[in-house]
Amino acid sequence: MKKTITLFILSIPFFSHASLTSQDIPKCEEVGDSIEQILDNRTKETGIDFSLKDVFVIKEKGQDKDSRSCYALLRTETYNKLEILYSVWVENRRYFVEITDANPIIDAETMA
């Protein structure tokens, strides 16, 4: 039930943006502050603590001329392992970050 609620809460896209000095799309590992801000905002909105504790993996899933697709495996206060997919793009000298999907990983370590 907790996983279903989390999937619903996290299925709504979250956005963040910041100013840039160029039109280059930031790399996946360069937008950590924006991801943390999105998670903190979601904590305030839902009451579920998504405060970022650790980042295990960050990978680029692909890039086209307008955006970069990324994957990250995180640890939050509520979830021992949370995988997210997010997009990064540039518009009007600002970059935007959107979490497009998030899933908690329920394994033996999480259950312990």
Side-chain angles (χ1 to χ4, degrees), residues 1-108:
M1 180 68 170
K2 192 175 183 180
K3 182 176 179 180
T4 303
I5 292 169
T6 302
L7 290 175
F8 175 74
I9 290 169
L10 292 174
S11 66
I12 301 167
F14 322 102
F15 295 94
S16 179
H17 62 85
S19 296
L20 281 179
T21 56
S22 72
Q23 289 293 328
D24 293 336
I25 300 170
K27 294 184 178 178
C28 296
E29 60 273 2
E30 295 175 342
V31 298
D33 290 344
S34 295
I35 295 293
E36 190 166 3
Q37 177 187 358
I38 291 169
L39 294 173
D40 288 344
N41 288 341
R42 206 53 165 174
T43 296
K44 292 173 189 169
E45 292 171 6
T46 65
I48 298 172
D49 194 351
F50 291 106
S51 300
L52 185 62
K53 288 177 63 176
D54 198 6
V55 178
F56 299 114
V57 176
I58 297 176
K59 293 182 182 178
E60 183 175 318
K61 299 294 281 178
Q63 180 181 354
D64 59 30
K65 69 178 192 136
D66 297 323
S67 67
R68 186 183 307 272
S69 298
C70 306
Y71 167 87
L73 182 59
L74 314 171
R75 177 178 297 168
T76 67
E77 283 295 328
T78 303
Y79 297 102
N80 205 25
K81 293 180 184 171
L82 179 68
E83 62 179 0
I84 65 170
L85 298 175
Y86 59 100
S87 298
V88 182
W89 71 93
V90 173
E91 191 174 300
N92 297 326
R93 300 187 69 109
R94 301 171 103 183
Y95 75 86
F96 292 82
V97 178
E98 175 186 19
I99 295 178
T100 55
D101 194 19
N103 295 299
I105 297 175
I106 308 299
D107 57 8

